Amino acid sequence: MDLITDASSIINLSNAGALDLVTALPDVTICVCPLVVGECEPTCAAELLAHQEQGTIRFVDADEIASEIFLSLLDEHELGEGETECLALLLNGDYSFCCDDGKARSVGIALSDESHVMGSIRLLRRAVEAGLCAPDEAFQYYQRMKDAGGFLPDVPREWFEP
Amino acid sequence: MSRVATFLRQLPMSPDEIATKSRLSSERIRAFLEGEDPTLADLRALARGLKVPLHSFASESASKSELGMLFRQTASSRPDRGVEAAADFVDAALRLLPPRAAPPEWLLVFRFEQETYAEAARLADEFRQMLLPDQPDDPLTELPQLVVDRGVILGRLETSRFEGASVVADGYPFVFVSPRFSGRMLFTLAHEVGHLITHHRGSNRSATFDLAGQIGRLGRYRSQSEYFVNAFASVLLLPARGVGKFLQQVRKTLRITNSAIGDVEILYLSRFYGVSFEVAARRCEDLQLLPSGGAKSLSDYLRDNFGGPEKRAASLGLPGRANVHIPRVSRNLLEIAARKVEQGEVSIGWVTDRLNCSINDVYGSRISGEGRRGPHH
C-alpha cells in the first residue's frame, strides 16, 4: 500500500520518535509530498531526508498532480495546501491517505472511502499486528504524540492489542 | 478557461513579464494562457514569482479580498509577499475569532492634540502606567506578552520589504513585526503599538505598513506621524527617570568622571533596556544628554572603529540583552485556532498556511507553559 502521509501525521510520529517504526511496516510505503519537509522543524525534516536516502520513505513528484484538480479541491474544501496535495493524489486512486486532522480526514473519506483513510495511531496498531512492537510500546508512542499536542482521539491501551 | 488562465489574464503584465518573474519560459506561460493545465511545480513557480499565495489561483474571491485590497492600497501597488501574507493572516484570524463590535476600550482612551514630542511622551507615560503601574522606570522587554494580554494579536511579517505593520480590523488590533535582532523587534513593536493607539482610532478597518527607514532611525523623518510614533516608542521603552538613574549608576560603577556621556554608557543603556544602540543614543539626544547630532556621530564612530555597536559591546564583555520573544502567532489566536481544528471546523493545514506558522506551533498552544519548540524525543 502506498500511503500518502500529510504533515500532521509525520510530525506526530516524529514527535513520538515513531517514524523508524512505521517506515518498517511491511506492505506499507510511506509517501510524502516534498512540501511536507518545509512544514517540519529541522529535526523532523532531517529524519525525513534520511529515510528518503535509505529508501524507507518515498517523496512524491509534484508533477504527478494536475494544478486544476489541486485548485478545485483547494477552493471547494478550504484545507491546507499540503493536505490538498494529498487529496489530489488520493483522488487518482493509487494511494491511501494518512492524516491526523479531523476535517481533512472527513474530506478524504467523502472523496474516497473509509478503508483508504487512516491516522497515525492506526499505523501504530499495524506495527503491533506486524510484531514490530508490543501494545504497551505503541500506547507509549501514542501518549507521546498526545503530550506533544497532537490532535488524536482518546483511546485506551487495549485498542492497540491485536 | 482554467483557473490559472483566468488569474494570469487579469494581471497587468505581458506573458514575457510573467515568464521573467516566475522563471518559466514564455512558451509555457502562453500555453497556460491558452488553457493548458500547469503542473503543481509550475503553479508554485508562478506563485513565488508573482509574490501571491498559492490559493490566490483557486478562486477569484481570494485575490480580491477586501482586506487584501486595503493592504495593497496602503502599502503601495508593488507586490509584496509579506503584505499578501498579512492580509491572509488577518482574514483567517477574523474567521476564527468571535465577532466583535468595537476594539478593546483601552485602545480608544489615548487622546492627543498635536503630533509633538511632548504629546508622544505624555501618551507613552500614560500607556506605560496602564501596562505596568508599579514599574515606571523598568525595561519593557515583556512588551510582547503585555500587549497580547491586552488583546493585541501578534504575527511575523516575513519575506517583506516592510519592517512592521499595525492593523485594526473588525474590532481586533494586530501588530506584525519582521524577524530581526531582538532590540530592533522590540522597538518596531513599540512603534506599531504607537500607531494602534494614535492612528487607527475610530476606524473599523485600517492598516499601516512601515519600511525600516521609518522606524527608529537617527535622521529626520519624512512624515510627522512617523516622527510621533517613534517618539512614543522611544519614551515608552526608555523612560526619562529610569534612563537618568541607570546612567548615573553606570558612571558611578565605571568611575567615569568625564561630564560628557560616551559610547560605553550608551551601550550599557541599550543592553539594559533591550533596544539598539542607535535607539538608546537617540533617546539620550532627545533628553539633551548628548548634543544634537551626537547619536549619529557616536554610531558612525563605532561603525568605523569597531565594526559597529554590537561588536564594540562584545569586545567590552557587556551583558547581553534580555531575550524579546515575538512569536510567529500570539497564543491568544493560536489557542482559538487549535480549538477550531479540534472541532473540525478548519484543518490544521489551513491554519498553518494562513497564519504562517508551523504545525508544532499549533500543537504547542495545546500544552501548558510556553509550548514545545522541537521534537519530544
Side-chain angles (χ1 to χ4, degrees):
Chain A
M1 174 176 54
D2 285 342
L3 189 65
I4 185 74
T5 309
D6 90 336
S8 64
S9 291
I10 290 288
I11 290 169
N12 274 337
L13 291 163
S14 169
N15 284 344
L19 263 181
D20 287 348
L21 179 76
V22 300
T23 53
L25 277 171
D27 306 324
V28 174
T29 303
I30 303 283
C31 307
V32 294
C33 298
L35 190 70
V36 168
V37 180
E39 294 181 32
C40 297
E41 295 191 25
T43 317
C44 173
E47 268 187 281
L48 280 182
L49 294 171
H51 276 291
Q52 186 210 15
E53 213 166 280
Q54 291 160 19
T56 44
I57 278 183
R58 182 162 73 78
F59 279 20
V60 176
D61 185 351
D63 284 348
E64 278 187 48
I65 303 164
S67 67
E68 192 60 26
I69 292 173
F70 171 81
L71 292 174
S72 144
L73 288 169
L74 198 61
D75 190 23
E76 192 172 344
H77 301 293
E78 292 200 297
L79 299 171
E81 290 166 13
E83 293 155 348
T84 306
E85 264 187 311
C86 294
L87 290 176
L89 290 165
L90 179 68
L91 262 189
N92 80 16
D94 296 335
Y95 292 91
S96 290
F97 177 36
C98 179
C99 171
D100 285 341
D101 176 80
K103 184 175 177 186
R105 279 165 62 114
S106 305
V107 176
I109 291 167
L111 292 174
S112 171
D113 63 71
E114 210 151 336
S115 67
H116 282 91
V117 180
M118 65 187 76
S120 57
I121 60 170
R122 186 94 66 87
L123 292 181
L124 293 178
R125 193 161 72 174
R126 284 180 83 126
V128 175
E129 287 162 1
L132 296 175
C133 72
D136 278 345
E137 288 173 89
F139 186 64
Q140 280 170 12
Y141 284 128
Y142 157 75
Q143 281 184 314
R144 280 192 219 158
M145 296 198 286
K146 290 268 280 186
D147 290 348
F151 293 93
L152 298 168
D154 291 325
V155 292
R157 183 205 155 279
E158 292 72 39
W159 190 85
F160 292 96
E161 286 176 359
Chain B
M1 196 187 300
S2 75
R3 288 163 205 263
V4 175
T6 306
F7 182 89
L8 294 179
R9 280 172 186 272
Q10 287 172 351
L11 296 174
M13 282 183 218
S14 70
D16 290 341
E17 284 173 296
I18 299 171
T20 306
K21 284 181 184 293
S22 60
R23 299 185 182 179
L24 295 169
S25 71
S26 296
E27 291 70 34
R28 291 287 290 149
I29 301 298
R30 287 199 172 82
F32 302 154
L33 287 164
E34 292 304 316
E36 188 182 303
D37 194 17
T39 65
L40 198 50
D42 292 331
L43 196 61
R44 290 229 167 79
L46 286 168
R48 219 173 16 249
L50 298 171
K51 297 184 178 171
V52 295
L54 211 52
H55 65 83
S56 302
F57 294 92
S59 69
E60 218 173 301
S61 58
S63 58
K64 289 192 172 163
S65 87
E66 205 182 304
L67 271 168
M69 288 201 272
L70 168 70
F71 282 24
R72 267 169 244 137
Q73 280 163 8
T74 309
S76 92
S77 56
R78 197 171 132 205
D80 186 287
R81 183 71 187 86
V83 172
E84 297 296 331
D88 260 359
F89 182 109
V90 176
D91 248 334
L94 295 177
R95 281 179 62 176
L96 295 166
L97 296 161
R100 187 187 263 177
E105 256 179 51
W106 64 265
L107 210 57
L108 308 171
V109 301
F110 298 96
R111 297 178 180 281
F112 62 98
E113 296 294 325
Q114 286 181 314
E115 292 184 325
T116 61
Y117 195 95
E119 281 284 82
R122 180 182 59 74
L123 288 181
D125 288 341
E126 286 176 12
F127 187 71
R128 175 182 269 270
Q129 173 68 19
M130 180 194 79
L131 287 183
L132 290 174
D134 303 326
Q135 297 171 46
D137 304 331
D138 290 1
L140 257 186
T141 47
E142 297 295 316
L143 185 62
Q145 189 54 49
L146 290 167
V147 295
V148 167
D149 291 345
R150 293 267 168 184
V152 175
I153 292 160
L154 296 185
R156 294 269 186 97
L157 193 58
E158 300 195 58
T159 54
S160 175
R161 66 183 189 278
F162 295 98
E163 184 121 342
S166 54
V167 177
V168 169
D170 300 357
Y172 286 95
F174 297 83
V175 169
F176 296 91
V177 175
S178 184
R180 298 278 189 271
F181 94 101
S182 71
R184 182 72 190 162
M185 289 199 294
L186 182 64
F187 193 84
T188 301
L189 174 62
H191 177 104
E192 298 304 333
V193 169
H195 276 307
L196 276 185
I197 67 166
T198 56
H199 297 132
H200 295 305
R201 300 171 74 254
S203 172
N204 188 41
R205 285 192 168 184
S206 68
T208 304
F209 284 84
D210 291 311
L211 295 164
Q214 291 164 315
I215 302 173
R217 59 184 294 208
L218 288 172
R220 289 180 168 275
Y221 295 102
R222 272 185 299 179
S223 97
Q224 188 64 18
S225 60
E226 293 305 329
Y227 164 81
F228 187 60
V229 287
N230 274 312
F232 170 87
S234 177
V235 177
L236 179 67
L237 298 177
L238 294 149
R241 195 177 65 174
V243 168
K245 278 160 63 174
F246 181 82
L247 285 175
Q248 252 182 359
Q249 188 58 47
V250 167
R251 288 169 66 80
K252 193 172 152 193
T253 306
L254 299 178
R255 295 185 183 141
I256 296 171
T257 51
N258 188 336
S259 61
I261 301 280
D263 60 323
V264 176
E265 298 103 294
I266 297 173
L267 282 168
Y268 270 100
L269 185 69
S270 72
R271 293 290 173 105
F272 181 70
Y273 279 103
V275 297
S276 68
F277 174 84
E278 287 78 8
V279 162
R282 174 71 184 246
R283 179 66 172 137
C284 289
E285 203 177 297
D286 293 337
L287 289 168
Q288 297 179 334
L289 299 170
L290 280 177
S292 177
K296 172 119 182 32
S297 302
L298 278 176
S299 180
D300 290 347
Y301 165 77
L302 292 180
R303 195 191 58 230
D304 295 344
N305 292 281
F306 300 96
E310 296 307 311
K311 287 187 179 163
R312 170 72 162 147
S315 73
L316 291 167
L318 261 58
R321 285 181 188 80
N323 188 35
V324 176
H325 177 58
I326 297 190
R328 279 184 280 208
V329 182
S330 52
R331 215 174 161 99
N332 50 358
L333 177 57
L334 267 185
E335 285 175 353
I336 289 171
R339 278 204 293 279
K340 299 272 182 183
V341 172
E342 190 160 24
Q343 291 157 1
E345 288 183 38
V346 292
S347 78
I348 194 163
W350 183 87
V351 167
T352 57
D353 284 354
R354 302 300 172 105
L355 299 185
N356 196 20
C357 62
S358 74
I359 286 178
N360 270 331
D361 287 333
V362 183
Y363 287 172
S365 73
R366 307 182 74 218
I367 52 185
S368 57
E370 273 298 295
R372 59 183 309 293
R373 298 266 167 80
H376 193 72
H377 58 288

